[in-house]
Amino acid sequence: MLFAASLLLKALAIPLLARIAWLDFTTQKISNSNVLLLLCLGAGSLLLLALPSGSWWDMGLSAVAGLLLFVVLFPFWVLRKVGAGDVKLMAVIPFLVGGSGLVVFSLLLMVFAVAMAVVMKNPFLLPAGAFRLYVQHMDRKGVVPFGVPISAAATGAIAFQIYGSWVLASSSGVLQQLN
């Protein structure tokens, strides 16, 4: 029951991640309230998993990963290479995907970051229209909305966890019916 509630909290984060990605793409801003809400959803999800099992490993790993990401990315914010919202979002994501989802998140983040870089540097690959003009404008300004690949990777990691849980639940149901 608590496991399903934990997955529900993660699923509720997906529309919020989409909102963060859209706002970062259109305004180059990631609000503190959205990041705080993600932190609450992620920490709540981890808490629901930790309480019945008594194992705080996943929450501890998420806290260490979040702190490490913040410390590593903070100098890039000071040098104006990334925005403060991007740093805070990256620090919160380990709570959202959990320690077990960090590998999937990292792999997806690499894929989506490369795709974003390719689109930003080669906007002619996009269909003609306002979207291409907007990306060309961001390229001239030197702005990259890192919240988009971060949000996409987190959404993918959450979807992977939900799908994996569904597959395990359905396969265990089949096994119980066979016995």
Side-chain angles (χ1 to χ4, degrees), residues 26 32 57 77 83 90 103 107 122 124 130 148 152 162 173:
T26 58
N32 290 339
W57 170 253
W77 171 74
M90 278 296 290
V103 171
L107 293 172
N122 302 300
F124 59 86
V148 174
I162 292 171

Side-chain angles (χ1 to χ4, degrees), residues 3 18 20 26 28 33 36 47 56 72-74 81 83 86 95 104 112 124 127 135-138 148 152 164 173-174:
F3 183 72
I20 289 170
T26 58
Q28 290 76 53
S33 59
L36 183 60
L47 187 64
W56 296 89
V72 167
L73 293 174
F74 187 78
K81 300 296 181 191
D86 300 321
F95 287 95
V104 173
F112 289 125
F124 59 86
V135 171
Q136 287 172 339
H137 170 70
M138 285 192 295
V148 174
V174 169

Side-chain angles (χ1 to χ4, degrees), residues 10 58 62 92-102 105 153-154 157-158 161:
K10 288 183 181 200
D58 212 26
S62 296
V92 165
I93 292 298
F95 287 95
L96 191 60
V97 300
S100 60
L102 287 175
F105 169 74
I158 291 168
Q161 290 171 343

Side-chain angles (χ1 to χ4, degrees), residues 2-177:
L2 290 178
F3 183 72
S6 171
L7 288 178
L8 177 62
L9 286 178
K10 288 183 181 200
L12 288 174
I14 292 174
L16 182 58
L17 286 165
R19 175 181 165 80
I20 289 170
W22 177 253
L23 289 174
D24 190 34
F25 183 76
T26 58
T27 66
Q28 290 76 53
K29 301 270 187 239
I30 298 174
S31 73
N32 290 339
S33 59
N34 286 338
V35 173
L36 183 60
L37 187 53
L38 275 181
L39 177 63
C40 291
L41 289 170
S45 173
L46 289 174
L47 187 64
L48 286 173
L49 293 176
L51 285 175
S53 69
S55 173
W56 296 89
W57 170 253
D58 212 26
M59 187 170 277
L61 182 59
S62 296
V64 169
L67 180 63
L68 182 65
L69 283 167
F70 185 80
V71 168
V72 167
L73 293 174
F74 187 78
F76 291 98
W77 171 74
V78 171
L79 296 171
R80 303 285 181 230
K81 300 296 181 191
V82 295
D86 300 321
V87 174
K88 291 180 277 188
L89 181 60
M90 278 296 290
V92 165
I93 292 298
F95 287 95
L96 191 60
V97 300
S100 60
L102 287 175
V103 171
V104 173
F105 169 74
S106 299
L107 293 172
L108 289 173
L109 182 60
M110 284 190 301
V111 170
F112 289 125
V114 167
M116 177 64 97
V118 167
V119 167
M120 295 302 293
K121 291 300 176 187
N122 302 300
F124 59 86
L125 295 174
L126 298 172
F131 190 75
R132 181 190 289 182
L133 293 173
Y134 188 73
V135 171
Q136 287 172 339
H137 170 70
M138 285 192 295
D139 187 38
R140 280 192 298 275
K141 286 176 54 178
V143 175
V144 177
F146 288 116
V148 174
I150 295 169
S151 296
T155 299
I158 291 168
F160 186 78
Q161 290 171 343
I162 292 171
Y163 177 74
S165 300
W166 177 76
V167 167
L168 285 175
S170 63
S171 67
S172 66
V174 169
L175 290 176
Q176 287 176 356
Q177 289 175 355

